Every structure is written in structure tokens, then in C-alpha cells.
Amino acid sequence: MQTNATYTSLVAVGDSFTEGMSDLLPDGSYRGWADLLAARMAARTPGFRYANLAIRGKLIGQIVAEQVDVAAAMQPDVITLVGGLNDTLRPQCDMGRVRGLLEEAVERLAPACKQLVLMRSPGRQGPVLERFRPRMEELFTCVDDLASRHGALVVDLYGAPSLGDPRMWDVDRLHLTGEGHRRVAEAVWQTLGYEAQDTEWRTPMPPSAPPGWVARRTADARFARQYLLPWIGRRLTGRSSGDGRPAKRPELLPYEGPGA
């Protein structure tokens, strides 16, 4: 890995994780790790350009069909690709197809940029992670293999103890908090060869007293009502939370936005 890196442009490809949910800004929009990373890179490089094509709910097939060629055509210095995790959470998931589509994406993106960045996505500790862990780890094995074959960097968020802490995750239990996104931005920043701003991003938060039984049941009921049941409803009707939603930053333009 190089040090004192200088990149002039970044394109982010993916789903809700890269869109920035649930790092909510006062105006109701989402920031997220990719925006934070772009802000840091822009502070070092005048005229730095940034695009974020990620849209919540997208499966790897949709990412390949809708985002990959667009990102490749932009010819940026850096492309980040995170996808496939939504597929692993579906009851019916063809992992062979997921691996094939991810390979197709990497083969098209790697030659189109100076540096492709892949990730082993974080997982929230709990029963959901345990249920889908085998699929996730199969996906991450594929990520590692593709990176070694195509010269991509891999950011290992899955292996970071800090990001498994439920306190790093929003009440929907699917998306990181602002602090979680900050740590992801730091991880990618360091992986790209920039000097660390937080050497302890992997370090777990200090322990705290666990919530009581009533508080846990109340949180479970709220989660089921506000998030789980609507998610099931979308699955049953073939809908997605990203249907009809445009990319947050569809053009590769000079970065303007919230600072790091």
C-alpha cells in the first residue's frame, strides 16, 4: 500500500451502506462514510471530484446493470464497490449468481480506475448475523479472491470489533450510526494510503450496562413495527426501498458538502 497518497476523484458504487443511511443530516438527507471520505480527500486536493451512484435496496444485479458502466465511463482515480450483502439477506439467494455478478462488476471497474476498493462489510452482533454469517463469509471470500486477481484493495470492516457493537447501529438494525460511518471513512482513508487520523477506529466502545428486559422488549416491538414488517411487505410484493430513487450524486463534479 502506498503512503502519502494523492487522488483527484472518487466514484462510490453500491447500496444503502454507501448511500449513507442512517447518518442523518439536519435537512433530512444522508451523509455517510463515502461523503466523509470525499470531504477529507477534497481538503487535500483542490478541484477534487466526487460522484456517489449508490441507491438503497439495490441487489448486486441492479448495481451491475445500473451503476457499473456509469462509474467506469467516469474514469476516476478511485472507485469503491460494495454490493451483494442485500442478496445474502434474502430468503432465496443464489450465491453462485451473486459471485458471478460481483466478478463481472470487478472485471469492468478495475481497468477503469487507478484504484478499485472492495470491502468486507460490517455485521451487527446478534441473531441476524449468525443466521446469515455463512453466506456473508462466502461473499467475503469471493471479495478477497477478486481483489488478489485484479489489484483491488480490501477494507476489512467485518473483522473490526468496534463495528460489530450494536451501539454502532441505528434502530433499524441494518445501518450504521454516524459514528459507525465515521469509522468506516477512517478505515477506507487509511487503506488508500493516507496518514491515519484515528488509529483506534477498530477499538470497541467502552462497555456499558445492558438495557433491562422492558427496554429490550420495547425496542424489539418498535423495530418490528417500524422496520421489520415494512421490509417483509416489500419482499412479498417485489418492491424495494430504492425504487424510483435517483443516485445522491450522479455526476462526477467538484466536491461540495459537509466536511469531515
Side-chain angles (χ1 to χ4, degrees):
M1 180 179 68
Q2 66 175 315
T3 57
N4 300 316
T6 299
Y7 296 107
T8 64
S9 52
L10 166 68
V11 175
V13 173
D15 52 32
S16 60
F17 174 69
T18 302
E19 184 185 344
M21 297 173 71
S22 291
D23 185 12
L24 193 64
L25 293 171
D27 65 359
S29 65
Y30 292 110
R31 182 175 54 180
W33 66 265
D35 283 14
L36 290 168
L37 177 66
R40 288 193 188 186
M41 297 172 78
R44 291 177 59 109
T45 307
F48 182 85
R49 296 177 300 151
Y50 170 52
N52 190 324
L53 308 180
I55 299 175
R56 67 195 69 173
K58 293 299 182 181
L59 302 173
I60 186 62
Q62 295 170 310
I63 291 171
V64 170
E66 300 167 11
Q67 300 178 32
V68 165
D69 283 347
V70 177
M74 292 177 176
Q75 297 282 306
D77 283 356
V78 178
I79 297 177
T80 64
L81 167 64
V82 188
L85 202 62
N86 282 336
D87 297 78
T88 69
L89 299 178
R90 297 293 179 103
Q92 302 297 324
C93 174
D94 181 347
M95 286 303 299
R97 180 174 182 273
V98 171
R99 293 194 306 271
L101 287 165
L102 187 61
E103 181 171 12
E104 180 181 344
V106 170
E107 288 177 344
R108 287 154 64 179
L109 291 174
C113 63
K114 292 181 179 178
Q115 185 60 68
L116 178 63
V117 178
L118 308 177
M119 297 190 199
R120 293 161 58 91
S121 303
R124 181 184 186 274
Q125 295 172 0
V128 173
L129 174 62
E130 293 309 314
R131 178 180 178 185
F132 295 103
R133 186 187 297 275
R135 289 181 183 174
M136 292 173 62
E137 294 187 347
E138 183 177 349
L139 178 68
F140 300 154
T141 297
C142 179
V143 165
D144 291 341
D145 175 64
L146 290 170
S148 67
R149 290 196 280 121
H150 294 275
L153 298 173
V154 177
V155 185
D156 185 14
L157 306 174
Y158 181 69
S162 61
L163 295 177
D165 190 326
R167 292 172 293 175
M168 287 285 181
W169 296 76
D170 193 46
V171 293
D172 67 0
R173 305 181 184 182
L174 287 174
H175 301 106
L176 291 169
T177 63
E179 173 60 16
H181 279 283
R182 184 196 68 79
R183 296 194 185 212
V184 172
E186 178 67 33
V188 184
W189 173 262
Q190 292 184 27
T191 301
L192 284 169
Y194 293 102
E195 184 177 355
Q197 296 187 16
D198 176 10
T199 59
E200 302 297 323
W201 72 268
R202 291 177 173 269
T203 303
M205 297 172 65
S208 63
W213 185 90
V214 173
R216 294 198 305 272
R217 298 293 79 78
T218 300
D220 288 344
R222 178 188 177 191
F223 164 71
R225 181 177 65 255
Q226 295 187 6
Y227 302 102
L228 181 59
L229 292 177
W231 183 87
I232 292 173
R234 289 194 298 271
R235 297 293 80 75
L236 292 175
T237 57
R239 293 178 293 115
S240 168
S241 57
D243 287 348
R245 184 176 294 275
K248 64 189 296 185
R249 294 176 181 268
E251 298 181 74
L252 187 60
L253 297 173
Y255 177 78
E256 295 180 1

